[in-house]
PDB file of all heavy atoms in Angstrom:
ATOM      1  N   PRO Q 248     123.633 124.432 115.841  1.00 92.00           N
ATOM      2  CA  PRO Q 248     123.517 125.895 115.718  1.00 92.00           C
ATOM      3  C   PRO Q 248     123.371 126.613 117.050  1.00 92.00           C
ATOM      4  O   PRO Q 248     123.958 127.680 117.262  1.00 92.00           O
ATOM      5  CB  PRO Q 248     122.280 126.070 114.833  1.00 92.00           C
ATOM      6  CG  PRO Q 248     122.206 124.814 114.032  1.00 92.00           C
ATOM      7  CD  PRO Q 248     122.700 123.727 114.940  1.00 92.00           C
ATOM      8  N   TRP Q 249     122.582 126.050 117.965  1.00 93.00           N
ATOM      9  CA  TRP Q 249     122.349 126.728 119.236  1.00 93.00           C
ATOM     10  C   TRP Q 249     123.573 126.732 120.146  1.00 93.00           C
ATOM     11  O   TRP Q 249     123.589 127.390 121.184  1.00 93.00           O
ATOM     12  CB  TRP Q 249     121.153 126.122 119.964  1.00 93.00           C
ATOM     13  CG  TRP Q 249     121.214 124.632 120.160  1.00 93.00           C
ATOM     14  CD1 TRP Q 249     120.696 123.682 119.335  1.00 93.00           C
ATOM     15  CD2 TRP Q 249     121.837 123.934 121.243  1.00 93.00           C
ATOM     16  NE1 TRP Q 249     120.965 122.421 119.834  1.00 93.00           N
ATOM     17  CE2 TRP Q 249     121.650 122.545 121.006  1.00 93.00           C
ATOM     18  CE3 TRP Q 249     122.519 124.327 122.387  1.00 93.00           C
ATOM     19  CZ2 TRP Q 249     122.136 121.571 121.866  1.00 93.00           C
ATOM     20  CZ3 TRP Q 249     122.998 123.357 123.255  1.00 93.00           C
ATOM     21  CH2 TRP Q 249     122.812 121.997 122.997  1.00 93.00           C
ATOM     22  N   GLN Q 250     124.625 126.013 119.736  1.00 94.00           N
ATOM     23  CA  GLN Q 250     125.874 126.013 120.497  1.00 94.00           C
ATOM     24  C   GLN Q 250     126.834 127.104 120.022  1.00 94.00           C
ATOM     25  O   GLN Q 250     127.959 127.191 120.506  1.00 94.00           O
ATOM     26  CB  GLN Q 250     126.562 124.651 120.368  1.00 94.00           C
ATOM     27  CG  GLN Q 250     125.790 123.498 121.002  1.00 94.00           C
ATOM     28  CD  GLN Q 250     126.480 122.167 120.784  1.00 94.00           C
ATOM     29  OE1 GLN Q 250     126.829 121.792 119.660  1.00 94.00           O
ATOM     30  NE2 GLN Q 250     126.701 121.439 121.870  1.00 94.00           N
ATOM     31  N   ILE Q 251     126.387 127.911 119.069  1.00 94.00           N
ATOM     32  CA  ILE Q 251     127.241 128.942 118.470  1.00 94.00           C
ATOM     33  C   ILE Q 251     126.751 130.334 118.858  1.00 94.00           C
ATOM     34  O   ILE Q 251     125.571 130.655 118.733  1.00 94.00           O
ATOM     35  CB  ILE Q 251     127.266 128.816 116.934  1.00 94.00           C
ATOM     36  CG1 ILE Q 251     127.911 127.483 116.524  1.00 94.00           C
ATOM     37  CG2 ILE Q 251     128.013 129.990 116.302  1.00 94.00           C
ATOM     38  CD1 ILE Q 251     127.842 127.212 115.041  1.00 94.00           C
ATOM     39  N   LEU Q 252     127.674 131.158 119.324  1.00 95.00           N
ATOM     40  CA  LEU Q 252     127.417 132.570 119.599  1.00 95.00           C
ATOM     41  C   LEU Q 252     128.314 133.392 118.694  1.00 95.00           C
ATOM     42  O   LEU Q 252     129.534 133.235 118.719  1.00 95.00           O
ATOM     43  CB  LEU Q 252     127.715 132.903 121.065  1.00 95.00           C
ATOM     44  CG  LEU Q 252     127.709 134.391 121.445  1.00 95.00           C
ATOM     45  CD1 LEU Q 252     126.314 134.983 121.312  1.00 95.00           C
ATOM     46  CD2 LEU Q 252     128.235 134.600 122.858  1.00 95.00           C
ATOM     47  N   ALA Q 253     127.711 134.247 117.872  1.00 94.00           N
ATOM     48  CA  ALA Q 253     128.483 135.114 116.976  1.00 94.00           C
ATOM     49  C   ALA Q 253     128.106 136.560 117.264  1.00 94.00           C
ATOM     50  O   ALA Q 253     126.926 136.925 117.196  1.00 94.00           O
ATOM     51  CB  ALA Q 253     128.209 134.768 115.517  1.00 94.00           C
ATOM     52  N   VAL Q 254     129.102 137.380 117.603  1.00 93.00           N
ATOM     53  CA  VAL Q 254     128.857 138.755 118.045  1.00 93.00           C
ATOM     54  C   VAL Q 254     129.431 139.749 117.039  1.00 93.00           C
ATOM     55  O   VAL Q 254     130.587 139.622 116.613  1.00 93.00           O
ATOM     56  CB  VAL Q 254     129.492 139.009 119.427  1.00 93.00           C
ATOM     57  CG1 VAL Q 254     129.002 140.334 119.993  1.00 93.00           C
ATOM     58  CG2 VAL Q 254     129.161 137.889 120.389  1.00 93.00           C
ATOM     59  N   THR Q 255     128.615 140.748 116.666  1.00 89.00           N
ATOM     60  CA  THR Q 255     129.047 141.805 115.757  1.00 89.00           C
ATOM     61  C   THR Q 255     128.861 143.164 116.436  1.00 89.00           C
ATOM     62  O   THR Q 255     128.372 143.241 117.557  1.00 89.00           O
ATOM     63  CB  THR Q 255     128.215 141.781 114.459  1.00 89.00           C
ATOM     64  OG1 THR Q 255     126.868 142.151 114.778  1.00 89.00           O
ATOM     65  CG2 THR Q 255     128.218 140.400 113.825  1.00 89.00           C
ATOM     66  N   PHE Q 256     129.216 144.227 115.711  1.00 83.00           N
ATOM     67  CA  PHE Q 256     129.050 145.568 116.281  1.00 83.00           C
ATOM     68  C   PHE Q 256     127.865 146.327 115.697  1.00 83.00           C
ATOM     69  O   PHE Q 256     127.450 147.336 116.243  1.00 83.00           O
ATOM     70  CB  PHE Q 256     130.334 146.387 116.097  1.00 83.00           C
ATOM     71  CG  PHE Q 256     131.281 146.253 117.259  1.00 83.00           C
ATOM     72  CD1 PHE Q 256     132.136 145.168 117.337  1.00 83.00           C
ATOM     73  CD2 PHE Q 256     131.294 147.167 118.281  1.00 83.00           C
ATOM     74  CE1 PHE Q 256     132.998 145.012 118.405  1.00 83.00           C
ATOM     75  CE2 PHE Q 256     132.148 147.029 119.369  1.00 83.00           C
ATOM     76  CZ  PHE Q 256     133.002 145.949 119.426  1.00 83.00           C
ATOM     77  N   THR Q 257     127.340 145.880 114.566  1.00 83.00           N
ATOM     78  CA  THR Q 257     126.181 146.558 113.980  1.00 83.00           C
ATOM     79  C   THR Q 257     125.134 145.539 113.573  1.00 83.00           C
ATOM     80  O   THR Q 257     125.449 144.384 113.261  1.00 83.00           O
ATOM     81  CB  THR Q 257     126.557 147.392 112.731  1.00 83.00           C
ATOM     82  OG1 THR Q 257     126.971 146.499 111.674  1.00 83.00           O
ATOM     83  CG2 THR Q 257     127.660 148.385 113.030  1.00 83.00           C
ATOM     84  N   ASN Q 258     123.878 145.984 113.565  1.00 83.00           N
ATOM     85  CA  ASN Q 258     122.790 145.127 113.101  1.00 83.00           C
ATOM     86  C   ASN Q 258     122.988 144.754 111.636  1.00 83.00           C
ATOM     87  O   ASN Q 258     122.634 143.650 111.209  1.00 83.00           O
ATOM     88  CB  ASN Q 258     121.449 145.848 113.270  1.00 83.00           C
ATOM     89  CG  ASN Q 258     121.088 146.040 114.725  1.00 83.00           C
ATOM     90  OD1 ASN Q 258     121.116 145.100 115.501  1.00 83.00           O
ATOM     91  ND2 ASN Q 258     120.775 147.262 115.098  1.00 83.00           N
ATOM     92  N   LYS Q 259     123.551 145.693 110.873  1.00 83.00           N
ATOM     93  CA  LYS Q 259     123.784 145.443 109.456  1.00 83.00           C
ATOM     94  C   LYS Q 259     124.736 144.273 109.263  1.00 83.00           C
ATOM     95  O   LYS Q 259     124.498 143.383 108.437  1.00 83.00           O
ATOM     96  CB  LYS Q 259     124.357 146.712 108.807  1.00 83.00           C
ATOM     97  CG  LYS Q 259     124.581 146.617 107.309  1.00 83.00           C
ATOM     98  CD  LYS Q 259     125.114 147.934 106.777  1.00 83.00           C
ATOM     99  CE  LYS Q 259     125.364 147.876 105.284  1.00 83.00           C
ATOM    100  NZ  LYS Q 259     125.913 149.149 104.757  1.00 83.00           N
ATOM    101  N   ALA Q 260     125.822 144.244 110.037  1.00 83.00           N
ATOM    102  CA  ALA Q 260     126.787 143.146 109.935  1.00 83.00           C
ATOM    103  C   ALA Q 260     126.163 141.827 110.365  1.00 83.00           C
ATOM    104  O   ALA Q 260     126.398 140.779 109.752  1.00 83.00           O
ATOM    105  CB  ALA Q 260     128.018 143.455 110.782  1.00 83.00           C
ATOM    106  N   ALA Q 261     125.349 141.860 111.421  1.00 84.00           N
ATOM    107  CA  ALA Q 261     124.696 140.639 111.899  1.00 84.00           C
ATOM    108  C   ALA Q 261     123.740 140.092 110.847  1.00 84.00           C
ATOM    109  O   ALA Q 261     123.704 138.878 110.588  1.00 84.00           O
ATOM    110  CB  ALA Q 261     123.948 140.926 113.198  1.00 84.00           C
ATOM    111  N   LYS Q 262     122.986 140.975 110.221  1.00 85.00           N
ATOM    112  CA  LYS Q 262     122.035 140.547 109.194  1.00 85.00           C
ATOM    113  C   LYS Q 262     122.761 139.955 107.996  1.00 85.00           C
ATOM    114  O   LYS Q 262     122.343 138.927 107.442  1.00 85.00           O
ATOM    115  CB  LYS Q 262     121.181 141.749 108.763  1.00 85.00           C
ATOM    116  CG  LYS Q 262     120.072 141.402 107.787  1.00 85.00           C
ATOM    117  CD  LYS Q 262     119.221 142.631 107.481  1.00 85.00           C
ATOM    118  CE  LYS Q 262     118.090 142.280 106.514  1.00 85.00           C
ATOM    119  NZ  LYS Q 262     117.249 143.465 106.203  1.00 85.00           N
ATOM    120  N   GLU Q 263     123.866 140.595 107.605  1.00 85.00           N
ATOM    121  CA  GLU Q 263     124.637 140.095 106.468  1.00 85.00           C
ATOM    122  C   GLU Q 263     125.205 138.707 106.761  1.00 85.00           C
ATOM    123  O   GLU Q 263     125.161 137.806 105.924  1.00 85.00           O
ATOM    124  CB  GLU Q 263     125.772 141.072 106.134  1.00 85.00           C
ATOM    125  CG  GLU Q 263     126.582 140.677 104.914  1.00 85.00           C
ATOM    126  CD  GLU Q 263     127.690 141.670 104.602  1.00 85.00           C
ATOM    127  OE1 GLU Q 263     127.739 142.743 105.238  1.00 85.00           O
ATOM    128  OE2 GLU Q 263     128.520 141.361 103.722  1.00 85.00           O
TER     129      GLU Q 263
END
Side-chain angles (χ1 to χ4, degrees):
W249 53 267
Q250 294 177 308
I251 296 174
L252 170 66
V254 191
T255 67
F256 269 83
T257 67
N258 292 309
K259 183 179 179 181
K262 185 176 181 180
E263 183 179 352

